[in-house]
Amino acid sequence: MLYNRWRKLVNRQVQLPSKAIADFEIVSQGDRGGTVSDEAVLVFVWNSETKTAVLVREYMPSVHGFMNGLAAGMVEDKHESTESETSNAVETAAKHELEEECRLKGGTWYRLCLPTVMDKYTTTRLSVYLVIDPEPINEKDAKPRDEAEEGMQVVEGISASQLMSYITSCEMTVVGGWAAQLALSKLRELGEVS
């Protein structure tokens, strides 16, 4: 292990077909206290009445500024299921992130992909969900946001064309844009967007 905080960096040596040894640095989730898995969730929110999406605008340390994105987070032990939740840990995390970040719950849920890794140098697996017509909850009744999410804003009323503009003008991360594309594809299938 080379580093272990919010992210863990490990060295992986692999013998190539030529018998040469290649060194790779692999990123996974680090030790931040509690139990954090190497699973992440992204949740795309759609309002079928207004035909618009809900995004979050939050600070992104990589660009040292605010960007648009989806409700997202890690599968971790703070996402404990309640008796009314019979879903698995990944689905429970998605529902909790929707409540924490967007102040919404319920709705009709669709899982858009099987867990897949972000890229070839990370072990974090992503699961993407679409939720249609979740209900607002009172701020004081919502699950608390993480300290690092201070300043997060919920942005409502984003049309499909505005969303595509955000993606193509780099106003969203690659992962958020990819997840939004999966959601738009499903929404087309459902007849929600053309």
Side-chain angles (χ1 to χ4, degrees):
M1 182 177 343
L2 305 174
Y3 179 83
N4 187 13
R5 283 190 56 200
W6 269 77
R7 300 289 184 262
K8 183 172 20 176
L9 184 62
V10 295
N11 179 262
R12 181 174 292 163
Q13 293 186 331
V14 178
Q15 186 175 9
L16 302 174
S18 67
K19 306 292 185 211
I21 302 295
D23 279 310
F24 297 100
E25 292 178 349
I26 309 297
V27 178
S28 65
Q29 297 310 306
D31 181 10
R32 32 184 134 158
T35 303
V36 178
S37 75
D38 223 7
E39 298 267 357
V41 295
L42 292 101
V43 182
F44 184 95
V45 181
W46 186 254
N47 181 317
S48 67
E49 185 177 318
T50 62
K51 305 296 187 208
T52 59
V54 176
L55 301 178
V56 293
R57 185 162 180 81
E58 66 179 314
Y59 178 74
M60 305 277 182
S62 59
V63 296
H64 192 45
F66 283 78
M67 290 182 76
N68 298 310
L70 307 184
M74 301 305 301
V75 176
E76 47 194 316
D77 59 1
K78 75 174 186 174
H79 298 136
E80 295 179 10
S81 295
T82 64
E83 287 184 28
S84 64
E85 293 174 325
T86 58
S87 56
N88 67 36
V90 175
E91 292 168 347
T92 297
K95 291 174 182 176
H96 284 233
E97 291 299 334
L98 176 68
E99 184 174 335
E100 289 170 21
E101 296 189 2
C102 295
R103 305 309 198 211
L104 298 168
K105 69 178 180 178
T108 304
W109 286 78
Y110 298 90
R111 187 172 194 162
L112 300 179
C113 67
L114 295 174
T116 186
V117 293
M118 289 187 338
D119 65 41
K120 68 182 187 176
Y121 297 107
T122 183
T123 59
T124 303
R125 293 173 305 280
L126 301 173
S127 292
V128 181
Y129 291 87
L130 163 65
V131 60
I132 299 176
D133 297 333
E135 297 291 324
I137 55 175
N138 191 312
E139 180 79 25
K140 67 178 176 48
D141 297 328
K143 296 183 184 317
R145 290 184 175 148
D146 295 334
E147 290 176 9
E149 295 171 334
E150 184 177 321
M152 177 181 282
Q153 298 173 327
V154 177
V155 184
E156 299 178 20
I158 307 299
S159 69
S161 62
Q162 281 179 290
L163 185 62
M164 288 305 299
S165 176
Y166 289 161
I167 293 168
T168 59
S169 63
C170 304
E171 294 179 52
M172 291 181 76
T173 64
V174 170
V175 171
W178 164 75
Q181 294 277 15
L182 288 177
L184 288 172
S185 177
K186 182 65 174 180
L187 289 166
R188 277 187 214 90
E189 180 185 312
L190 296 170
E192 285 289 319
V193 295
S194 51

